[in-house]
Amino acid sequence: MGDRPEFSGESPPSESESNKQRSPSPAPSLDSDDSKDGAPDFSGESPPSESESNKQRSPSPAPGLDSDHSKDGAPDFSGESPPSESESNKQRSPSPAPSLDSDDSKDGAPDFSGESPPSESESNKQRSPSPAPSLDSDDSKDGAPDFSGESPPSESDVETRLTEHKTHEIEQKPQVSPAKVSSLQWSKSGIAWMVPIVLAVLVALYAGFYHHSEELPLATLTVEPQSPVFVGETVTLKCVIESLSDWTYKWYEGSSSVPVSEGNTFTIRGATESHKGQYWCQGERRDRPTSSQPSGKTTLDIKELPLATLTVEPQSSVFIGETVTLNCVIESLSGWTYKWYKEPSRTPVSEGNTFTIIAAAEFHKGQYWCQGERRDRPTSSQRSGILALDVKEQEINMEISLQQPFIPELANTSSTRFKNLTADVSTVLNKMYSEKFGSQFLGTHINSIRPGSVVVDFVLLFKNIFLDTKNVTSILKEAVAENRPDVSVLPIKLNSIVHKPWPLATLTVEPQSPVFTGETVTLKCVIEYPSNWAYKWYEGSSRTPVSEGNTFTINGATESHKGQYWCRGERKDRPTLSQPSRVLTLYVKELPLATLTVEPQSPVFIGETVTLNCVIESLSGWTYKWYKGSSRTAVSEGNTLTIIGAAESHKGQYWCQGQRRDRPTSSQPSRILTLDVKELPLATLTVEPQSPVFTGETVTLKCVIESLSGWTYKWYEGSSSVPVSEGNTFIIIAAAESPKGQYWCQGERRDRPTSSQPSGKTTLDVKELPLATLTIEPQSPVFTGETVTLKCVIESLSDWTYKWYEGSSSVPVSEGNTFIIIAAAESHKGQYWCQGERRDRPTSSQPSGKTTLDVKELPLATLTVEPQSSVLTGETVTLKCVIESLSDWTYKWYKGPSRTPVSQGNTFTIKGATESHKGQYWCQGERRDRPTSSQPSRETTLDVKEPADIAFLMDGSWSVNPEQFLDMKTFVKDVTRSLLKFNTAFAFAQYSTETSIHVTFHQFQRTGWENQLDSIKQIAGDTYTADAVRTVVKDLFDSSAGARPDAHRILIVLTDGQSFDAPRYPSVTALADEKHITRYAIGIGSAFNSKSAQDELRSIASSPDHVFRVDNFEALSNIISRLKKSIKMPVSSRWTQT
């Protein structure tokens, strides 16, 4: 330990190494434990924990200076609090030898830069229970106190403070052994190289003890989705600090102190294995506290997506016509949906874990792969490996044996008989199989000669079929029997299967992709063997050729030529098709674009300097050329074209283009810049309407400068240079006194040019509008109902359209030179005037003078009628008509809307009124002079109604108490009173076990009926409602009881419960229907909540809407209006006049 160790950025020696370096002498040692995860910075490192400190301590009697472990994370130890007394006691060593130990650095990368261990005196203060003064700081919590702005003391200051502090400590604590002072002196003199480290620790502890800080705000980390994350997914980590504001968030990975990202959100897109690790965040801000507590660490685990495994059956070569089965399996997780793809398309060709190709053909060749999809995470699997499916053709050599009856000549293969046989059979077989299977006849030979027969073998070659020997045998037997019935077919024997290679088409391209727009691309297709190929070219998955021939040339390539190209050969002889070539993906890129800029922007004014620049961003080695108009001859070279003193001749269209030696040899031409060299813009003045102008017209002068923008317009009159108005529009309302004058405008602007040429001058001339004249017939006053004609005339000019106005309104009430008011009324009173309008100027005249129309009411016809009381059938009615004002009236009577008089004279008499006389009547006077007619009288309505007989049948049974019976009579009174004003008669009856008729229709007194009703006493007994209804129908609704034959008959039954004779209702109601009695049933009380009770009410009533229910007797008054509306009595039987 003679040399001073260097710890900045270097791991301290392990414990075993530290033990090797330890000396048994009482000299102090400076040991450090193994560095764990990461590479911590040991400059100013914290001392070790007690357990580690004990391992490292020397048995010498010097005092020790110990510190606790640094925990997980990346805490900031600047200003750290000293250990508590209990921790300090744990750290004490009974040996007097001093030691300066350091603890293991755990996970994370704590920053200990500049941190000093506590001085011996401070350590002693922590250990001693004596009341001596100490320089202590409160425990630092889960944060890192802010010491920004505080300068650490220099080495000399620390020594001075240490000496003063120790002197003060010794004075205050004489019981402390002076060995501590000597220990410090020994430390300073014995190992001088330790002084800077000790001083740094003292400075940090001094500052930490001196400052007390509150707990720092805590950073909270959340992650979505939760770990584990699958490769390719997006992971979002969020960092939030609830307290304070203006936080800047930084993200760290593992034990690194270098941020991997900033911001409150850290997003990892397309997660990979490299993103695995522990992540944490921390906030920073300008104001105190300048940092937060670090968040907890979250471990991000990235897993590979489940793998899709593809298998195929058969695994050997696949031949045309065979069935191929591909299976896709994903071992992990569940809920997978499988999809199959064929390169290069990303559109599935099939779905399901099994993909079956039945009868494989050439077009099934290709590269296949599968992939799984599911609803939950992960939503997709890895793609399976790619299966290259090759479909081959096959040839089958087959031997067919035919048995021929023995003929000696057949034993000789050169005999005519043998040759004829073989020729016949060969022709049959060849024809048959060439048509059905595409076979080829190879030859014949004699297989054997047996007693009585000769077996002849015929060898055929079949292409691309799967042979069913039974099928072939049956077809062969049928064909041979038809041609050679003396020949029989023996079982077929399969000789061999021969596989031949399929010729491959080879595709080349020049130039290599990518190709630039405009270039010529040449694709060639070659098949080495055999010969006589016809080549066809295809694009993408289409089976329609885009070209033919061994060379396919694309002239002037464009974006539309992008795609995948391939070729194949075709020929007449076998093999008729080659294998398709590889697929060539042709990329067509746009040529680099030349960008043209100009200063100043066009238009340019004569004499200015114009600079045009040409730039091509991509590639290098460009030579720039400038062109004007459609000419292909360059007017200049270089990336800048300068025109000095622009003139009219410089007008035109300029563009530039780059050229270079390598591909691409030229760029796209730049945009075309139109350079316009102009005179100063001209201000153009327009006026609407053209002069002369008529009084009242609005004259609008507009000033327009077509070129440039940002113009401010000013208006001038005559030769004055003082503006009379500003703005591109100048509006003048012409008046008679408006002076004639000349007006002109000019534009001004901030940018160049600052002014325009002045406009031409326009002269304004003002004339009076033509006058409209109004006449009226007849002269006012006018009587209501008369016709009034107003005429409007304008003498000068023509094509006038006349409009009429009333009062001060500007909305026309009529149009045309004549305004006719037919049947003048009070509403027509007022002042009328007219005005002319026309399409040409002047578009309107002066308004006419106003004429006042006074409309008086026509004399009123007054109608009276006798009698004024109710009119019953058979009565005589007298109507009279009187007009008080004027004389010589003739009176006419009308009925309803008809305008045909029903009578004449001032009196109209109806004798024996009947239903036919119902209606509305009115009268009107007529005379020869104005007014020729009066106002019609008011209408009076004659309503002749039939009478109504109404009987009340009240429940007087035991279940009704006296108060309720009184409520029932009150209800009958109220209903009777409300209907008494009509042509009605009433009768009152009561029932229980028996039925009592108290007042018949004949006995009903229209003035004393209330006394009659009051005198009725409750009879009590059981409830026999059906018998009571029968009695009332038979005895009360009869002429003997005063019932009128022409009256409307109504029976109102009141009951508080079900009857004892309900089965009799059908016969009772049938009797009531025969007498045309309308029945109303009123159920009172809770007894009618049951369905059977409600059915009984419906049995009593004539119809369901004639049933009424109330909860109690007191509520009877609530249904009076509903009952009246249901009965539908006439509103009145008197004369009603409107």
Side-chain angles (χ1 to χ4, degrees):
M1 296 182 65
D3 297 329
R4 179 179 178 182
E6 179 63 51
F7 289 103
S8 72
E10 179 181 327
S11 300
S14 65
E15 184 178 0
S16 59
E17 292 169 335
S18 179
N19 291 334
K20 291 177 184 178
Q21 295 171 359
R22 289 176 184 160
S23 169
S25 64
S29 64
L30 184 62
D31 300 332
S32 175
D33 192 16
D34 300 340
S35 74
K36 299 290 195 289
D37 301 339
D41 181 5
F42 286 89
S43 58
E45 185 174 359
S46 303
S49 65
E50 182 184 8
S51 60
E52 292 162 335
S53 179
N54 290 336
K55 294 177 183 177
Q56 298 171 358
R57 284 176 187 160
S58 170
S60 62
L65 183 62
D66 303 330
S67 173
D68 192 16
H69 295 288
S70 71
K71 301 291 191 283
D72 296 344
D76 181 5
F77 284 90
S78 59
E80 184 175 6
S81 303
S84 64
E85 183 178 356
S86 59
E87 291 168 332
S88 179
N89 290 334
K90 292 178 183 178
Q91 295 171 1
R92 290 175 188 162
S93 171
S95 62
S99 65
L100 186 61
D101 300 340
S102 174
D103 187 19
D104 301 339
S105 79
K106 298 288 197 287
D107 298 341
D111 182 9
F112 298 105
S113 58
E115 184 175 349
S116 306
S119 65
E120 182 182 4
S121 60
E122 290 165 332
S123 180
N124 290 335
K125 288 178 186 178
Q126 295 169 5
R127 293 174 183 164
S128 172
S130 65
S134 62
L135 189 60
D136 298 334
S137 172
D138 190 15
D139 297 341
S140 72
K141 301 291 193 290
D142 298 326
D146 182 13
F147 299 107
S148 59
E150 183 174 356
S151 304
S154 64
E155 184 177 345
S156 60
D157 292 338
V158 173
E159 290 181 7
T160 302
R161 292 185 190 180
L162 183 58
T163 303
E164 292 172 354
H165 189 65
K166 290 200 69 68
T167 302
H168 177 75
E169 183 184 24
I170 293 168
E171 290 173 355
Q172 295 296 325
K173 301 198 304 181
Q175 71 275 17
V176 177
S177 171
K180 294 180 179 179
V181 178
S182 62
S183 173
L184 180 59
Q185 292 172 348
W186 176 84
S187 298
K188 291 170 65 180
S189 60
I191 47 174
W193 59 269
M194 292 179 60
V195 171
I197 297 174
V198 174
L199 291 178
V201 174
L202 289 174
V203 169
L205 289 177
Y206 181 85
F209 294 163
Y210 193 75
H211 291 79
H212 175 74
S213 173
E214 292 185 359
E215 194 170 292
L216 287 171
L218 177 63
T220 303
L221 185 154
T222 58
V223 63
E224 180 63 32
Q226 296 295 320
S227 194
V229 174
F230 292 92
V231 171
E233 288 188 319
T234 296
V235 186
T236 303
L237 297 91
K238 289 189 178 179
C239 194
V240 176
I241 302 172
E242 298 293 340
S243 57
L244 303 178
S245 60
D246 301 326
W247 289 104
T248 299
Y249 297 88
K250 293 190 177 181
W251 294 88
Y252 302 87
E253 182 178 1
S255 57
S256 174
S257 60
V258 179
V260 294
S261 182
E262 290 193 7
N264 70 322
T265 301
F266 174 28
T267 302
I268 299 171
R269 291 183 173 85
T272 64
E273 282 282 329
S274 62
H275 292 114
K276 278 187 178 179
Q278 289 185 319
Y279 292 85
W280 52 280
C281 64
Q282 191 170 23
E284 295 182 4
R285 61 199 294 272
R286 292 186 178 182
D287 301 327
R288 297 184 57 249
T290 57
S291 67
S292 72
Q293 294 184 57
S295 72
K297 291 184 177 181
T298 185
T299 300
L300 188 60
D301 185 15
I302 310 292
K303 288 189 175 181
E304 286 290 341
L305 288 171
L307 178 63
T309 303
L310 186 155
T311 59
V312 62
E313 183 62 36
Q315 297 180 2
S316 57
S317 299
V318 175
F319 299 101
I320 292 175
E322 286 188 316
T323 296
V324 185
T325 302
L326 296 87
N327 283 308
C328 194
V329 175
I330 302 171
E331 298 293 340
S332 57
L333 304 177
S334 61
W336 291 105
T337 299
Y338 297 88
K339 293 190 178 180
W340 293 89
Y341 301 86
K342 182 180 180 183
E343 288 291 343
S345 173
R346 290 301 178 267
T347 301
V349 296
S350 183
E351 292 192 6
N353 68 321
T354 300
F355 174 31
T356 302
I357 299 172
I358 300 172
E362 290 178 15
F363 61 85
H364 289 117
K365 279 187 177 183
Q367 293 180 319
Y368 293 84
W369 53 276
C370 65
Q371 190 173 25
E373 294 181 3
R374 61 199 294 269
R375 293 186 177 180
D376 301 325
R377 295 182 50 242
T379 56
S380 68
S381 71
Q382 294 185 59
R383 289 170 47 172
S384 72
I386 291 179
L387 167 72
L389 182 64
D390 187 16
V391 182
K392 296 180 179 180
E393 61 180 354
Q394 62 182 350
E395 294 182 355
I396 303 173
N397 187 302
M398 187 180 207
E399 185 176 314
I400 300 176
S401 299
L402 303 180
Q403 185 171 356
Q404 170 71 30
F406 179 77
I407 298 173
E409 295 175 59
L410 291 178
N412 182 4
T413 58
S414 60
S415 68
T416 302
R417 190 67 178 265
F418 180 81
K419 290 179 180 179
N420 290 340
L421 172 65
T422 57
D424 291 344
V425 176
S426 298
T427 299
V428 171
L429 297 178
N430 219 11
K431 180 181 178 183
M432 179 180 65
Y433 280 99
S434 63
E435 289 176 354
K436 291 185 177 294
F437 305 116
S439 66
Q440 181 180 354
F441 176 67
L442 295 183
T444 63
H445 68 276
I446 293 177
N447 183 35
S448 64
I449 299 175
R450 302 172 190 170
S453 68
V454 177
V455 177
V456 183
D457 290 338
F458 296 85
V459 181
L460 296 177
L461 183 67
F462 295 88
K463 175 185 173 184
N464 292 332
I465 64 166
F466 292 94
L467 293 177
D468 180 350
T469 57
K470 291 182 180 179
N471 185 39
V472 173
T473 301
S474 62
I475 294 173
L476 188 59
K477 284 182 177 181
E478 181 182 343
V480 172
E482 182 181 345
N483 293 273
R484 293 298 301 263
D486 57 337
V487 176
S488 60
V489 180
L490 298 179
I492 296 171
K493 179 171 66 176
L494 184 65
N495 286 341
S496 64
I497 299 177
V498 180
H499 299 153
K500 289 189 176 181
W502 200 5
L504 176 65
T506 303
L507 186 154
T508 59
V509 62
E510 182 62 35
Q512 294 297 318
S513 191
V515 175
F516 293 93
T517 54
E519 288 188 321
T520 297
V521 187
T522 303
L523 296 89
K524 289 187 178 179
C525 193
V526 176
I527 303 172
E528 297 295 340
Y529 71 94
S531 58
N532 300 326
W533 290 102
Y535 296 90
K536 293 190 178 180
W537 294 89
Y538 302 87
E539 183 177 358
S541 59
S542 172
R543 290 297 180 269
T544 303
V546 294
S547 183
E548 294 190 5
N550 70 323
T551 301
F552 175 30
T553 303
I554 299 173
N555 295 310
T558 65
E559 283 279 328
S560 64
H561 291 114
K562 279 184 179 178
Q564 293 180 319
Y565 294 86
W566 54 281
C567 64
R568 81 184 313 168
E570 296 181 6
R571 61 198 295 271
K572 293 184 178 180
D573 300 325
R574 299 184 58 254
T576 58
L577 287 176
S578 73
Q579 296 186 57
S581 70
R582 69 182 176 93
V583 175
L584 167 74
T585 301
L586 184 64
Y587 296 97
V588 182
K589 287 188 175 180
E590 289 287 341
L591 287 171
L593 179 65
T595 304
L596 185 155
T597 58
V598 62
E599 182 62 36
Q601 296 294 320
S602 187
V604 175
F605 295 93
I606 292 175
E608 289 186 321
T609 296
V610 186
T611 302
L612 296 88
N613 284 308
C614 192
V615 175
I616 301 172
E617 298 291 341
S618 58
L619 304 177
S620 60
W622 292 105
T623 299
Y624 297 90
K625 293 191 177 182
W626 293 90
Y627 302 88
K628 183 178 180 183
S630 59
S631 173
R632 305 300 297 175
T633 303
V635 296
S636 182
E637 291 191 5
N639 69 322
T640 301
L641 170 60
T642 303
I643 300 172
I644 300 173
E648 282 280 330
S649 61
H650 292 115
K651 282 185 177 179
Q653 293 180 320
Y654 292 83
W655 53 280
C656 64
Q657 190 172 24
Q659 295 180 358
R660 62 198 291 270
R661 293 185 178 181
D662 301 325
R663 291 183 57 241
T665 57
S666 67
S667 70
Q668 293 185 61
S670 71
R671 68 180 177 93
I672 294 176
L673 168 74
T674 301
L675 185 63
D676 191 10
V677 182
K678 289 188 175 181
E679 294 283 348
L680 281 176
L682 177 64
T684 303
L685 186 153
T686 58
V687 61
E688 184 63 35
Q690 295 295 321
S691 194
V693 176
F694 293 91
T695 54
E697 285 188 323
T698 296
V699 185
T700 302
L701 295 89
K702 289 188 178 179
C703 194
V704 176
I705 301 172
E706 297 292 341
S707 57
L708 305 178
S709 60
W711 291 105
T712 299
Y713 297 89
K714 294 190 177 180
W715 294 88
Y716 302 88
E717 184 178 358
S719 58
S720 173
S721 59
V722 179
V724 294
S725 183
E726 291 191 5
N728 70 323
T729 303
F730 177 28
I731 298 175
I732 300 172
I733 299 175
E737 63 275 10
S738 297
K740 294 180 180 180
Q742 290 183 319
Y743 294 87
W744 53 279
C745 65
Q746 190 172 24
E748 296 180 3
R749 63 197 292 269
R750 292 185 180 182
D751 301 327
R752 37 171 297 277
T754 56
S755 68
S756 71
Q757 297 182 56
S759 72
K761 293 182 179 180
T762 187
T763 301
L764 187 64
D765 185 14
V766 181
K767 288 187 176 181
E768 286 286 345
L769 288 170
L771 179 64
T773 303
L774 185 153
T775 59
I776 183 170
E777 180 64 34
Q779 294 297 317
S780 191
V782 175
F783 291 96
T784 56
E786 288 188 318
T787 297
V788 184
T789 303
L790 297 91
K791 289 188 177 179
C792 192
V793 177
I794 301 172
E795 297 295 339
S796 59
L797 301 177
S798 60
D799 300 326
W800 290 103
T801 298
Y802 297 89
K803 293 190 177 181
W804 294 89
Y805 301 88
E806 182 178 359
S808 58
S809 173
S810 60
V811 179
V813 295
S814 183
E815 291 191 7
N817 69 323
T818 301
F819 174 30
I820 299 175
I821 300 172
I822 298 173
E826 281 282 329
S827 61
H828 292 116
K829 279 185 178 181
Q831 289 184 318
Y832 293 85
W833 53 279
C834 65
Q835 190 172 21
E837 294 182 2
R838 60 199 295 269
R839 292 186 179 181
D840 300 327
R841 295 185 51 252
T843 56
S844 67
S845 70
Q846 293 184 60
S848 70
K850 293 183 178 180
T851 186
T852 300
L853 182 64
D854 185 15
V855 181
K856 289 187 176 181
E857 287 288 340
L858 286 170
L860 179 63
T862 303
L863 186 154
T864 59
V865 62
E866 185 64 34
Q868 295 183 0
S869 60
S870 300
V871 176
L872 302 176
T873 53
E875 288 187 321
T876 298
V877 184
T878 302
L879 296 91
K880 288 186 179 180
C881 192
V882 175
I883 301 172
E884 299 291 340
S885 59
L886 302 177
S887 59
D888 301 327
W889 292 105
T890 299
Y891 298 91
K892 293 186 178 182
W893 294 90
Y894 302 88
K895 181 179 181 183
S898 173
R899 289 297 180 266
T900 302
V902 296
S903 182
Q904 289 191 9
N906 68 326
T907 302
F908 175 33
T909 302
I910 299 172
K911 296 180 180 180
T914 65
E915 281 282 327
S916 63
H917 291 110
K918 285 184 180 180
Q920 291 180 319
Y921 293 86
W922 54 280
C923 64
Q924 191 173 23
E926 295 180 2
R927 61 197 295 269
R928 293 183 177 182
D929 299 326
R930 294 182 55 234
T932 57
S933 67
S934 71
Q935 293 184 60
S937 71
R938 58 185 172 80
E939 291 181 340
T940 186
T941 301
L942 179 62
D943 191 10
V944 181
K945 291 290 185 180
E946 293 181 356
D949 291 344
I950 302 173
F952 288 93
L953 180 59
M954 296 177 287
D955 187 349
S957 63
W958 296 109
S959 58
V960 179
N961 63 43
E963 290 79 6
Q964 292 172 339
F965 190 74
L966 183 60
D967 290 337
M968 193 184 307
K969 290 198 296 182
T970 301
F971 169 75
V972 173
K973 279 185 182 179
D974 291 339
V975 175
T976 303
R977 190 178 296 111
S978 65
L979 300 176
L980 194 62
K981 60 185 177 181
F982 304 114
N983 187 10
T984 53
F986 296 90
F988 307 121
Q990 178 187 181
Y991 73 95
S992 58
T993 305
E994 303 293 335
T995 302
S996 297
I997 298 176
H998 299 289
V999 177
T1000 66
F1001 295 115
H1002 183 72
Q1003 294 170 340
F1004 179 76
Q1005 301 173 2
R1006 298 194 74 82
T1007 56
W1009 63 272
E1010 291 191 45
N1011 294 331
Q1012 291 177 310
L1013 191 60
D1014 289 338
S1015 64
I1016 297 174
K1017 305 298 181 182
Q1018 185 176 0
I1019 59 179
D1022 294 326
T1023 305
Y1024 285 87
T1025 311
D1027 284 348
V1029 172
R1030 185 189 303 274
T1031 300
V1032 170
V1033 168
K1034 288 177 63 180
D1035 300 341
L1036 194 55
F1037 285 99
D1038 189 79
S1039 58
S1040 62
R1044 295 169 287 182
D1046 59 342
H1048 180 47
R1049 298 177 177 184
I1050 298 171
L1051 171 62
I1052 300 174
V1053 180
L1054 293 93
T1055 178
D1056 78 331
Q1058 290 180 264
S1059 65
F1060 291 94
D1061 56 353
R1064 301 176 185 174
Y1065 279 123
S1067 61
V1068 171
T1069 55
L1071 180 63
D1073 290 337
E1074 287 179 7
K1075 288 194 172 186
H1076 305 291
I1077 300 172
T1078 302
R1079 303 177 302 284
Y1080 292 85
I1082 302 175
I1084 308 166
S1086 60
F1088 293 98
N1089 290 336
S1090 69
K1091 184 178 182 303
S1092 59
Q1094 294 172 13
D1095 290 341
E1096 183 171 336
L1097 289 178
R1098 282 189 284 270
S1099 298
I1100 298 172
S1102 299
S1103 64
D1105 58 351
H1106 288 176
V1107 174
F1108 296 87
R1109 287 179 53 210
V1110 291
D1111 292 336
N1112 50 57
F1113 285 85
E1114 291 80 357
L1116 280 170
S1117 61
N1118 297 334
I1119 66 168
I1120 293 176
S1121 61
R1122 288 168 51 204
L1123 180 62
K1124 284 174 58 182
K1125 188 179 293 185
S1126 179
I1127 293 174
K1128 296 180 181 177
M1129 291 296 295
V1131 174
S1132 174
S1133 61
R1134 299 175 181 271
W1135 284 96
T1136 58
Q1137 298 177 347
T1138 57

